[in-house]
Amino acid sequence: MSSESDLTEPVMPEPPGEPVPAVTPERVLAGLALLVPIVAMLWVSSYDKADPAVGGMPFFYWYQLLWVPVSAVFTVAAYLLINRDEKARATARRAARAGDAR
């Protein structure tokens, strides 16, 4: 959770000098985490079958239902990765401003 001071802090432009890269490993991983459930559900031929049935429910149905909580886990992972990246960017901006103020 962020504190109220984090929410009211004005967004400053990037200081001159070494820019923060727009594409970071955290953002790439977050994108992949969001892409996995989409690809899994769009690749219908991978689960378009009746066997194995679980509790009388054909594979086609229980496989899709299984992806509901799995997708939530991937979404939370993406959120945490982006949140971590944003905190790192904010720290880098504060350090750069402190270095410019000297």
Side-chain angles (χ1 to χ4, degrees):
M1 295 261 151
S2 60
S3 66
E4 189 173 316
S5 64
D6 290 343
L7 298 175
T8 59
E9 183 177 323
V11 177
M12 301 293 286
E14 294 295 329
E18 193 172 322
V20 178
V23 178
T24 60
E26 287 88 1
R27 289 180 182 267
V28 171
L29 286 174
L32 290 174
L34 293 173
L35 193 62
V36 168
I38 294 169
V39 170
M41 290 291 89
L42 289 178
W43 185 21
V44 178
S45 63
S46 70
Y47 61 91
D48 187 19
K49 50 191 166 193
D51 290 327
V54 173
M57 185 182 294
F59 180 75
F60 180 79
Y61 294 113
W62 69 258
Y63 179 81
Q64 291 178 68
L65 288 173
L66 178 68
W67 272 98
V68 172
V70 171
S71 296
V73 169
F74 277 105
T75 304
V76 167
Y79 169 78
L80 293 174
L81 285 165
I82 293 294
N83 197 22
R84 184 169 108 183
D85 185 56
E86 288 296 324
K87 286 182 182 178
R89 285 174 179 253
T91 303
R93 283 193 298 266
R94 279 190 221 112
R97 282 196 306 253
D100 288 344
R102 290 182 190 177

